[in-house]
Amino acid sequence: MKYILGRKVGMTQLFDDKSGRSTIVTVIKAGPCWVTDIKTLETDGYAAVQLGFEETSARKLTGGQKGHLRRSGERLLRHLREFRLRESTSLESGAEVKVDIYAEGEYVDVTGISRGKGFAGAVKKYGFAGGPKTHGQSDRHRAPGSRGAGTTPGRTFKGARGPGHMGDQKTTVLNLRVAYVDAERDLLAVKGAVPGAPGSLISVRSAVKKGQAI
């Protein structure tokens, strides 16, 4: 299992030299990252690796953060993320992780914070059909409809889909094919769209559900 952190650059297209067909891709500036901590079953009860991304100044970190980072080296890193491991890793604390761990044709899972869209109705948020637009319909054609019976249970169950805040939540897109890797510029291009706005923090891991292409 391979992991790396990066930032979403934006979307573009790549052209195949032979067929001339275009592929829509998302470009991610991935890494370099550094291993800041290793969790083991013996000492922590679970196996994981912690990666740090983007060097920053000391004044932007707390004393606890700086003390934690000194154990893995002298680099002061802005973002720390922990990834669970299914097996032991050969990585050591302080090791550098770059985008060249991935190759074209591999499949990855990409996680980010989706774009916030504010308050939205149920039709926009969940794709409800809404009410009929004929036979005297006036103001209910974008309403979610009945929320339940008035007798038993006599209330709305918690978690029922309805209007509310849309987006701005952790989202993972599975099985995106790596279309291009530029190790010199730390760029990774994956087929399709990934969550988040340009410039947002992105985490990339090897595809968990291998073999399910898009």
Side-chain angles (χ1 to χ4, degrees):
M1 189 69 71
K2 295 177 287 189
Y3 304 92
I4 198 168
L5 298 174
R7 287 197 177 276
K8 180 178 178 179
V9 176
M11 296 192 72
T12 184
Q13 54 185 336
L14 299 177
F15 289 92
D16 186 274
D17 294 334
K18 296 180 180 179
S19 65
R21 293 182 177 179
S22 64
T23 301
I24 305 301
V25 298
T26 300
V27 180
I28 302 170
K29 191 178 188 312
C33 299
W34 289 269
V35 178
T36 55
D37 198 8
I38 299 289
K39 305 289 187 180
T40 63
L41 290 172
E42 293 76 15
T43 59
D44 304 283
Y46 67 100
V49 59
Q50 186 186 81
L51 295 181
F53 176 61
E54 283 189 349
E55 294 191 63
T56 186
S57 60
R59 65 183 179 83
K60 293 185 178 180
L61 300 176
T62 65
Q65 290 173 323
K66 288 182 283 188
H68 171 72
L69 291 169
R70 288 195 190 99
R71 293 188 299 172
S72 59
E74 296 301 321
R75 297 184 185 276
L76 300 177
L77 302 170
R78 183 178 181 184
H79 301 286
L80 300 179
R81 292 293 185 275
E82 189 173 284
F83 300 94
R84 287 291 188 103
L85 299 176
R86 295 181 178 179
E87 64 279 339
S88 59
T89 179
S90 59
L91 291 173
E92 297 181 353
S93 184
E96 185 177 17
V97 179
K98 302 193 73 175
V99 72
D100 57 9
I101 61 175
Y102 294 106
E104 295 182 16
E106 288 188 56
Y107 286 89
V108 296
D109 300 335
V110 181
T111 302
I113 303 298
S114 61
R115 289 172 180 261
K117 298 180 183 294
F119 186 91
V123 172
K124 178 179 179 179
K125 187 174 181 181
Y126 295 106
F128 286 1
K133 299 178 177 61
T134 58
H135 299 289
Q137 178 66 275
S138 59
D139 64 345
R140 309 304 299 161
H141 60 282
R142 290 185 65 88
S146 174
R147 303 284 285 182
T151 53
T152 302
R155 62 185 176 86
T156 300
F157 285 112
K158 185 177 181 180
R161 295 181 297 171
H165 188 88
M166 182 178 179
D168 193 27
Q169 61 185 352
K170 185 178 180 180
T171 307
T172 300
V173 180
L174 304 177
N175 299 309
L176 298 178
R177 181 172 61 82
V178 176
Y180 178 73
V181 177
D182 188 339
E184 293 184 0
R185 295 187 293 172
D186 300 317
L187 295 179
L188 178 73
V190 297
K191 180 182 177 182
V194 304
S200 59
L201 188 67
I202 295 291
S203 64
V204 183
R205 72 183 182 197
S206 301
V208 175
K209 301 179 180 179
K210 293 182 181 179
Q212 296 186 15
I214 59 174

